[in-house]
Amino acid sequence: MTFYRLLSILLALLCLGFAAVSTVLCMKYPKLSSQLPRHRLGGLLLGIVVLCWCAKEGTSMLPANYATPVWLLVPFAVAACWYFLDFLFARAFGGFLVLVANHLIQHAFAYYCGIRPLYCIIAIVWGLWGMTLIAWPWLLRDFWEAVPKRPRSRIAIWAFCILSALAFAILPFCGRS
């Protein structure tokens, strides 16, 4: 339960950080919108976390004799991602959002999260955004390049991210235990 709540608070902070990057940093530093989605070192570090998390989840679903080969594939997958993928940070960020959303939705039901439907819908939206970034990572760049051109979008971004952050930070503590 503690890990679930900490991960939920981490996603709340991530939502606020995403809003700040989208509306403040990308306006102040226009080149950041095209450089950050392609950041290779940040993408590699986050990608290692994502691939290890995937290996852990995958080995729990497979027979025990497959655990070692799955874990041995992680370094090869990291190397393949480094050499063959573009927009590494955007893809790793998308993968992280998918994994966190999946974990939070599962545990929202296990620990009786308060206002569970709202919590799960917001988690699903972030998970879908993550899947979109995995499939079409350049949309993150396009999104960040479009925000300075549309001043009204900043209000909507902050509103959704603050609503998400409040839901992720408060609702796991409000349910029955």
Side-chain angles (χ1 to χ4, degrees):
M1 183 173 214
T2 304
F3 182 69
Y4 159 65
R5 288 179 172 170
L6 286 175
L7 197 59
S8 190
I9 290 171
L10 174 71
L11 189 57
L13 294 173
L14 192 67
C15 292
L16 296 176
F18 182 78
V21 169
S22 299
T23 60
V24 178
L25 287 178
C26 285
M27 291 199 50
K28 192 179 281 189
Y29 307 105
K31 287 187 177 183
L32 187 68
S33 61
S34 63
Q35 291 173 346
L36 189 57
R38 288 186 163 178
H39 195 265
R40 298 200 51 87
L41 185 60
L44 178 71
L45 296 175
L46 186 57
I48 289 171
V49 171
V50 168
L51 286 170
C52 287
W53 192 349
C54 288
K56 178 190 168 293
E57 294 294 324
T59 55
S60 67
M61 293 184 288
L62 293 171
N65 58 342
Y66 286 109
T68 303
V70 168
W71 280 102
L72 289 175
L73 284 175
V74 170
F76 293 109
V78 169
C81 290
W82 177 263
Y83 288 111
F84 297 118
L85 288 181
D86 196 12
F87 291 96
L88 201 54
F89 181 78
R91 290 178 196 269
F93 180 63
F96 184 74
L97 286 176
V98 170
L99 288 169
V100 169
N102 177 46
H103 185 82
L104 293 182
I105 291 168
Q106 288 178 12
H107 287 81
F109 285 90
Y111 298 123
Y112 301 105
C113 176
I115 314 174
R116 194 179 321 147
L118 175 67
Y119 184 87
C120 291
I121 287 170
I122 293 172
I124 286 171
V125 169
W126 283 101
L128 288 173
W129 175 237
M131 281 193 250
T132 303
L133 291 180
I134 294 168
W136 302 292
W138 54 86
L139 289 179
L140 183 62
R141 178 200 60 206
D142 296 346
F143 176 78
W144 280 342
E145 286 177 351
V147 169
K149 298 172 187 168
R150 297 188 178 108
R152 286 186 179 170
S153 67
R154 285 177 266 169
I155 296 169
I157 291 168
W158 273 107
F160 179 70
C161 289
I162 287 173
L163 172 72
S164 299
L166 288 173
F168 291 136
I170 295 171
L171 293 180
F173 299 95
C174 295
R176 298 179 288 147
S177 52

